[in-house]
PDB file of all heavy atoms in Angstrom:
ATOM      1  N   ARG A   9      -2.872  86.312  50.284  1.00 97.00           N
ATOM      2  CA  ARG A   9      -3.775  86.323  49.113  1.00 97.00           C
ATOM      3  C   ARG A   9      -3.864  87.782  48.687  1.00 97.00           C
ATOM      4  O   ARG A   9      -3.649  88.731  49.382  1.00 97.00           O
ATOM      5  CB  ARG A   9      -5.196  85.925  49.692  1.00 97.00           C
ATOM      6  CG  ARG A   9      -5.274  84.570  50.146  1.00 97.00           C
ATOM      7  CD  ARG A   9      -5.354  83.529  48.997  1.00 97.00           C
ATOM      8  NE  ARG A   9      -5.561  82.197  49.627  1.00 97.00           N
ATOM      9  CZ  ARG A   9      -6.818  81.625  49.679  1.00 97.00           C
ATOM     10  NH1 ARG A   9      -7.862  82.340  49.277  1.00 97.00           N
ATOM     11  NH2 ARG A   9      -6.952  80.366  50.105  1.00 97.00           N
ATOM     12  N   PHE A  10      -4.102  87.885  47.291  1.00 98.00           N
ATOM     13  CA  PHE A  10      -4.156  89.152  46.734  1.00 98.00           C
ATOM     14  C   PHE A  10      -5.289  89.957  47.385  1.00 98.00           C
ATOM     15  O   PHE A  10      -6.393  89.428  47.404  1.00 98.00           O
ATOM     16  CB  PHE A  10      -4.148  89.220  45.149  1.00 98.00           C
ATOM     17  CG  PHE A  10      -2.887  88.813  44.502  1.00 98.00           C
ATOM     18  CD1 PHE A  10      -2.653  87.531  44.002  1.00 98.00           C
ATOM     19  CD2 PHE A  10      -1.928  89.858  44.400  1.00 98.00           C
ATOM     20  CE1 PHE A  10      -1.400  87.237  43.388  1.00 98.00           C
ATOM     21  CE2 PHE A  10      -0.708  89.488  43.761  1.00 98.00           C
ATOM     22  CZ  PHE A  10      -0.479  88.221  43.221  1.00 98.00           C
ATOM     23  N   GLY A  11      -5.093  91.264  47.487  1.00 98.00           N
ATOM     24  CA  GLY A  11      -6.098  92.167  48.055  1.00 98.00           C
ATOM     25  C   GLY A  11      -5.953  93.525  47.446  1.00 98.00           C
ATOM     26  O   GLY A  11      -6.403  94.011  46.340  1.00 98.00           O
ATOM     27  N   THR A  12      -5.342  94.508  48.248  1.00 98.00           N
ATOM     28  CA  THR A  12      -5.255  95.891  47.853  1.00 98.00           C
ATOM     29  C   THR A  12      -4.528  96.024  46.499  1.00 98.00           C
ATOM     30  O   THR A  12      -3.616  95.192  46.145  1.00 98.00           O
ATOM     31  CB  THR A  12      -4.310  96.572  48.901  1.00 98.00           C
ATOM     32  OG1 THR A  12      -5.082  96.683  50.129  1.00 98.00           O
ATOM     33  CG2 THR A  12      -3.935  98.012  48.445  1.00 98.00           C
ATOM     34  N   MET A  13      -4.973  96.935  45.698  1.00 98.00           N
ATOM     35  CA  MET A  13      -4.472  97.284  44.447  1.00 98.00           C
ATOM     36  C   MET A  13      -3.763  98.554  44.457  1.00 98.00           C
ATOM     37  O   MET A  13      -4.243  99.566  45.150  1.00 98.00           O
ATOM     38  CB  MET A  13      -5.542  97.315  43.394  1.00 98.00           C
ATOM     39  CG  MET A  13      -5.043  97.449  41.923  1.00 98.00           C
ATOM     40  SD  MET A  13      -4.701  95.823  41.240  1.00 98.00           S
ATOM     41  CE  MET A  13      -6.294  95.070  41.116  1.00 98.00           C
ATOM     42  N   ALA A  14      -2.622  98.761  43.656  1.00 98.00           N
ATOM     43  CA  ALA A  14      -1.982 100.076  43.527  1.00 98.00           C
ATOM     44  C   ALA A  14      -2.182 100.526  42.090  1.00 98.00           C
ATOM     45  O   ALA A  14      -2.371  99.794  41.189  1.00 98.00           O
ATOM     46  CB  ALA A  14      -0.511  99.902  43.868  1.00 98.00           C
ATOM     47  N   ARG A  15      -1.887 101.940  41.887  1.00 98.00           N
ATOM     48  CA  ARG A  15      -1.875 102.467  40.627  1.00 98.00           C
ATOM     49  C   ARG A  15      -0.665 103.370  40.549  1.00 98.00           C
ATOM     50  O   ARG A  15      -0.206 103.943  41.402  1.00 98.00           O
ATOM     51  CB  ARG A  15      -3.130 103.425  40.443  1.00 98.00           C
ATOM     52  CG  ARG A  15      -4.385 102.734  40.345  1.00 98.00           C
ATOM     53  CD  ARG A  15      -5.459 103.847  39.971  1.00 98.00           C
ATOM     54  NE  ARG A  15      -6.725 103.869  40.633  1.00 98.00           N
ATOM     55  CZ  ARG A  15      -7.670 104.613  40.429  1.00 98.00           C
ATOM     56  NH1 ARG A  15      -7.634 105.678  39.562  1.00 98.00           N
ATOM     57  NH2 ARG A  15      -8.838 104.531  41.131  1.00 98.00           N
ATOM     58  N   ALA A  16      -0.001 103.325  39.431  1.00 97.00           N
ATOM     59  CA  ALA A  16       1.127 104.162  39.096  1.00 97.00           C
ATOM     60  C   ALA A  16       0.739 105.600  39.208  1.00 97.00           C
ATOM     61  O   ALA A  16       1.575 106.467  39.810  1.00 97.00           O
ATOM     62  CB  ALA A  16       1.638 103.830  37.677  1.00 97.00           C
ATOM     63  N   LEU A  17      -0.458 106.024  38.740  1.00 98.00           N
ATOM     64  CA  LEU A  17      -0.909 107.417  38.764  1.00 98.00           C
ATOM     65  C   LEU A  17      -2.430 107.376  38.723  1.00 98.00           C
ATOM     66  O   LEU A  17      -3.066 106.575  37.966  1.00 98.00           O
ATOM     67  CB  LEU A  17      -0.242 108.034  37.661  1.00 98.00           C
ATOM     68  CG  LEU A  17      -0.548 109.623  37.399  1.00 98.00           C
ATOM     69  CD1 LEU A  17       0.019 110.375  38.490  1.00 98.00           C
ATOM     70  CD2 LEU A  17      -0.091 110.104  36.070  1.00 98.00           C
ATOM     71  N   SER A  18      -2.964 108.414  39.506  1.00 98.00           N
ATOM     72  CA  SER A  18      -4.475 108.556  39.414  1.00 98.00           C
ATOM     73  C   SER A  18      -4.633 110.009  39.039  1.00 98.00           C
ATOM     74  O   SER A  18      -3.934 110.947  39.581  1.00 98.00           O
ATOM     75  CB  SER A  18      -5.134 108.258  40.617  1.00 98.00           C
ATOM     76  OG  SER A  18      -4.506 108.921  41.768  1.00 98.00           O
ATOM     77  N   ILE A  19      -5.608 110.392  38.323  1.00 98.00           N
ATOM     78  CA  ILE A  19      -5.946 111.787  37.942  1.00 98.00           C
ATOM     79  C   ILE A  19      -7.468 111.939  38.036  1.00 98.00           C
ATOM     80  O   ILE A  19      -8.315 111.267  37.599  1.00 98.00           O
ATOM     81  CB  ILE A  19      -5.433 112.093  36.430  1.00 98.00           C
ATOM     82  CG1 ILE A  19      -3.970 111.849  36.290  1.00 98.00           C
ATOM     83  CG2 ILE A  19      -5.995 113.358  36.085  1.00 98.00           C
ATOM     84  CD1 ILE A  19      -3.542 111.985  34.861  1.00 98.00           C
ATOM     85  N   LYS A  20      -7.833 113.024  38.818  1.00 96.00           N
ATOM     86  CA  LYS A  20      -9.117 113.502  39.025  1.00 96.00           C
ATOM     87  C   LYS A  20     -10.147 112.335  39.538  1.00 96.00           C
ATOM     88  O   LYS A  20     -11.148 112.235  39.008  1.00 96.00           O
ATOM     89  CB  LYS A  20      -9.738 114.057  37.691  1.00 96.00           C
ATOM     90  CG  LYS A  20      -9.030 115.253  37.201  1.00 96.00           C
ATOM     91  CD  LYS A  20      -9.734 115.988  35.969  1.00 96.00           C
ATOM     92  CE  LYS A  20      -9.603 115.157  34.807  1.00 96.00           C
ATOM     93  NZ  LYS A  20     -10.037 115.899  33.413  1.00 96.00           N
ATOM     94  N   VAL A  21      -9.592 111.740  40.594  1.00 95.00           N
ATOM     95  CA  VAL A  21     -10.419 110.709  41.267  1.00 95.00           C
ATOM     96  C   VAL A  21     -11.626 111.440  41.983  1.00 95.00           C
ATOM     97  O   VAL A  21     -11.404 112.490  42.646  1.00 95.00           O
ATOM     98  CB  VAL A  21      -9.682 109.857  42.325  1.00 95.00           C
ATOM     99  CG1 VAL A  21     -10.620 108.921  43.044  1.00 95.00           C
ATOM    100  CG2 VAL A  21      -8.527 109.102  41.591  1.00 95.00           C
ATOM    101  N   ALA A  22     -12.859 110.937  41.776  1.00 91.00           N
ATOM    102  CA  ALA A  22     -14.016 111.504  42.428  1.00 91.00           C
ATOM    103  C   ALA A  22     -14.200 113.058  42.172  1.00 91.00           C
ATOM    104  O   ALA A  22     -14.684 113.764  42.876  1.00 91.00           O
ATOM    105  CB  ALA A  22     -13.880 111.259  43.964  1.00 91.00           C
ATOM    106  N   ASP A  23     -13.649 113.401  40.943  1.00 92.00           N
ATOM    107  CA  ASP A  23     -13.852 114.776  40.581  1.00 92.00           C
ATOM    108  C   ASP A  23     -15.105 114.923  39.561  1.00 92.00           C
ATOM    109  O   ASP A  23     -15.366 114.210  38.784  1.00 92.00           O
ATOM    110  CB  ASP A  23     -12.547 115.117  39.721  1.00 92.00           C
ATOM    111  CG  ASP A  23     -12.389 116.609  39.466  1.00 92.00           C
ATOM    112  OD1 ASP A  23     -13.315 117.331  38.825  1.00 92.00           O
ATOM    113  OD2 ASP A  23     -11.301 117.187  39.776  1.00 92.00           O
ATOM    114  N   PRO A  24     -15.839 116.166  39.826  1.00 92.00           N
ATOM    115  CA  PRO A  24     -17.069 116.242  39.031  1.00 92.00           C
ATOM    116  C   PRO A  24     -16.697 116.349  37.554  1.00 92.00           C
ATOM    117  O   PRO A  24     -17.577 116.069  36.727  1.00 92.00           O
ATOM    118  CB  PRO A  24     -17.536 117.554  39.613  1.00 92.00           C
ATOM    119  CG  PRO A  24     -17.001 117.665  40.951  1.00 92.00           C
ATOM    120  CD  PRO A  24     -15.706 117.061  40.901  1.00 92.00           C
ATOM    121  N   ARG A  25     -15.448 116.625  37.230  1.00 93.00           N
ATOM    122  CA  ARG A  25     -14.973 116.712  35.769  1.00 93.00           C
ATOM    123  C   ARG A  25     -14.898 115.449  35.035  1.00 93.00           C
ATOM    124  O   ARG A  25     -14.737 115.297  33.966  1.00 93.00           O
ATOM    125  CB  ARG A  25     -13.863 117.638  35.612  1.00 93.00           C
ATOM    126  CG  ARG A  25     -14.021 119.045  36.002  1.00 93.00           C
ATOM    127  CD  ARG A  25     -12.506 119.704  36.092  1.00 93.00           C
ATOM    128  NE  ARG A  25     -11.830 119.138  37.207  1.00 93.00           N
ATOM    129  CZ  ARG A  25     -10.644 119.653  37.460  1.00 93.00           C
ATOM    130  NH1 ARG A  25     -10.012 120.613  36.687  1.00 93.00           N
ATOM    131  NH2 ARG A  25      -9.896 118.998  38.421  1.00 93.00           N
ATOM    132  N   GLY A  26     -14.912 114.406  36.033  1.00 94.00           N
ATOM    133  CA  GLY A  26     -14.763 112.974  35.479  1.00 94.00           C
ATOM    134  C   GLY A  26     -13.305 112.503  35.642  1.00 94.00           C
ATOM    135  O   GLY A  26     -12.325 113.213  35.394  1.00 94.00           O
ATOM    136  N   GLU A  27     -13.181 111.350  35.959  1.00 95.00           N
ATOM    137  CA  GLU A  27     -11.823 110.587  36.323  1.00 95.00           C
ATOM    138  C   GLU A  27     -11.127 110.414  35.012  1.00 95.00           C
ATOM    139  O   GLU A  27     -11.792 109.897  34.010  1.00 95.00           O
ATOM    140  CB  GLU A  27     -11.971 109.530  37.168  1.00 95.00           C
ATOM    141  CG  GLU A  27     -10.618 108.884  37.624  1.00 95.00           C
ATOM    142  CD  GLU A  27     -10.736 107.740  38.667  1.00 95.00           C
ATOM    143  OE1 GLU A  27     -11.900 107.478  39.097  1.00 95.00           O
ATOM    144  OE2 GLU A  27      -9.671 107.212  39.010  1.00 95.00           O
ATOM    145  N   GLU A  28      -9.836 110.424  34.968  1.00 96.00           N
ATOM    146  CA  GLU A  28      -9.032 110.187  33.892  1.00 96.00           C
ATOM    147  C   GLU A  28      -8.093 108.884  34.295  1.00 96.00           C
ATOM    148  O   GLU A  28      -7.528 108.928  35.388  1.00 96.00           O
ATOM    149  CB  GLU A  28      -8.131 111.357  33.638  1.00 96.00           C
ATOM    150  CG  GLU A  28      -7.185 111.229  32.397  1.00 96.00           C
ATOM    151  CD  GLU A  28      -6.441 112.552  32.070  1.00 96.00           C
ATOM    152  OE1 GLU A  28      -7.121 113.718  32.216  1.00 96.00           O
ATOM    153  OE2 GLU A  28      -5.393 112.393  31.808  1.00 96.00           O
ATOM    154  N   PHE A  29      -7.988 107.959  33.496  1.00 96.00           N
ATOM    155  CA  PHE A  29      -7.295 106.739  33.754  1.00 96.00           C
ATOM    156  C   PHE A  29      -5.980 106.694  32.865  1.00 96.00           C
ATOM    157  O   PHE A  29      -6.105 106.282  31.725  1.00 96.00           O
ATOM    158  CB  PHE A  29      -8.123 105.514  33.579  1.00 96.00           C
ATOM    159  CG  PHE A  29      -9.227 105.342  34.608  1.00 96.00           C
ATOM    160  CD1 PHE A  29     -10.437 105.912  34.480  1.00 96.00           C
ATOM    161  CD2 PHE A  29      -8.966 104.641  35.772  1.00 96.00           C
ATOM    162  CE1 PHE A  29     -11.438 105.761  35.381  1.00 96.00           C
ATOM    163  CE2 PHE A  29      -9.805 104.510  36.779  1.00 96.00           C
ATOM    164  CZ  PHE A  29     -11.095 105.019  36.554  1.00 96.00           C
ATOM    165  N   PRO A  30      -4.924 107.052  33.429  1.00 97.00           N
ATOM    166  CA  PRO A  30      -3.576 106.936  32.605  1.00 97.00           C
ATOM    167  C   PRO A  30      -3.400 105.341  32.347  1.00 97.00           C
ATOM    168  O   PRO A  30      -3.762 104.476  33.240  1.00 97.00           O
ATOM    169  CB  PRO A  30      -2.469 107.323  33.640  1.00 97.00           C
ATOM    170  CG  PRO A  30      -3.266 108.321  34.523  1.00 97.00           C
ATOM    171  CD  PRO A  30      -4.639 107.725  34.708  1.00 97.00           C
ATOM    172  N   THR A  31      -2.777 104.943  31.185  1.00 97.00           N
ATOM    173  CA  THR A  31      -2.580 103.666  30.836  1.00 97.00           C
ATOM    174  C   THR A  31      -1.114 103.403  30.516  1.00 97.00           C
ATOM    175  O   THR A  31      -0.451 104.201  29.850  1.00 97.00           O
ATOM    176  CB  THR A  31      -3.394 103.346  29.620  1.00 97.00           C
ATOM    177  OG1 THR A  31      -4.790 103.725  29.869  1.00 97.00           O
ATOM    178  CG2 THR A  31      -3.296 101.978  29.061  1.00 97.00           C
ATOM    179  N   ILE A  32      -0.638 102.290  31.018  1.00 97.00           N
ATOM    180  CA  ILE A  32       0.730 101.700  30.602  1.00 97.00           C
ATOM    181  C   ILE A  32       0.552 101.207  29.225  1.00 97.00           C
ATOM    182  O   ILE A  32      -0.207 100.241  28.970  1.00 97.00           O
ATOM    183  CB  ILE A  32       1.227 100.785  31.460  1.00 97.00           C
ATOM    184  CG1 ILE A  32       1.411 101.394  32.920  1.00 97.00           C
ATOM    185  CG2 ILE A  32       2.509 100.207  31.000  1.00 97.00           C
ATOM    186  CD1 ILE A  32       1.951 100.396  34.020  1.00 97.00           C
ATOM    187  N   ARG A  33       1.352 101.807  28.233  1.00 97.00           N
ATOM    188  CA  ARG A  33       1.272 101.227  26.954  1.00 97.00           C
ATOM    189  C   ARG A  33       2.440 100.427  26.592  1.00 97.00           C
ATOM    190  O   ARG A  33       2.276  99.481  25.741  1.00 97.00           O
ATOM    191  CB  ARG A  33       1.394 102.593  25.956  1.00 97.00           C
ATOM    192  CG  ARG A  33       0.169 103.554  26.082  1.00 97.00           C
ATOM    193  CD  ARG A  33      -0.073 104.182  24.809  1.00 97.00           C
ATOM    194  NE  ARG A  33      -1.190 105.016  24.899  1.00 97.00           N
ATOM    195  CZ  ARG A  33      -1.767 105.683  23.789  1.00 97.00           C
ATOM    196  NH1 ARG A  33      -1.120 105.492  22.676  1.00 97.00           N
ATOM    197  NH2 ARG A  33      -2.952 106.310  23.943  1.00 97.00           N
ATOM    198  N   THR A  34       3.577 100.554  27.258  1.00 97.00           N
ATOM    199  CA  THR A  34       4.739  99.705  26.979  1.00 97.00           C
ATOM    200  C   THR A  34       5.549  99.374  28.214  1.00 97.00           C
ATOM    201  O   THR A  34       5.744 100.202  28.975  1.00 97.00           O
ATOM    202  CB  THR A  34       5.632 100.336  25.922  1.00 97.00           C
ATOM    203  OG1 THR A  34       4.932 100.834  24.784  1.00 97.00           O
ATOM    204  CG2 THR A  34       6.626  99.402  25.430  1.00 97.00           C
ATOM    205  N   PHE A  35       5.891  98.049  28.295  1.00 98.00           N
ATOM    206  CA  PHE A  35       6.789  97.637  29.322  1.00 98.00           C
ATOM    207  C   PHE A  35       8.126  97.217  28.735  1.00 98.00           C
ATOM    208  O   PHE A  35       8.298  96.675  27.617  1.00 98.00           O
ATOM    209  CB  PHE A  35       6.254  96.315  30.106  1.00 98.00           C
ATOM    210  CG  PHE A  35       5.102  96.637  31.040  1.00 98.00           C
ATOM    211  CD1 PHE A  35       3.778  96.280  30.636  1.00 98.00           C
ATOM    212  CD2 PHE A  35       5.234  97.256  32.240  1.00 98.00           C
ATOM    213  CE1 PHE A  35       2.727  96.563  31.477  1.00 98.00           C
ATOM    214  CE2 PHE A  35       4.192  97.491  33.052  1.00 98.00           C
ATOM    215  CZ  PHE A  35       2.913  97.118  32.678  1.00 98.00           C
TER     216      PHE A  35
END
């Protein structure tokens, strides 16, 4: 069953400056 999730890239996770979420624009 689906569970754990992966990300291609994470930026500033749990950073006081605020997290940034890279987005896949094209496949």
Side-chain angles (χ1 to χ4, degrees):
R9 299 283 187 94
F10 283 105
T12 292
M13 189 82 70
R15 294 191 218 177
L17 182 66
S18 57
I19 299 177
K20 295 188 291 189
V21 178
D23 192 305
R25 296 170 294 181
E27 186 169 357
E28 184 176 317
F29 288 91
T31 300
I32 294 177
R33 297 212 171 181
T34 309
F35 288 106

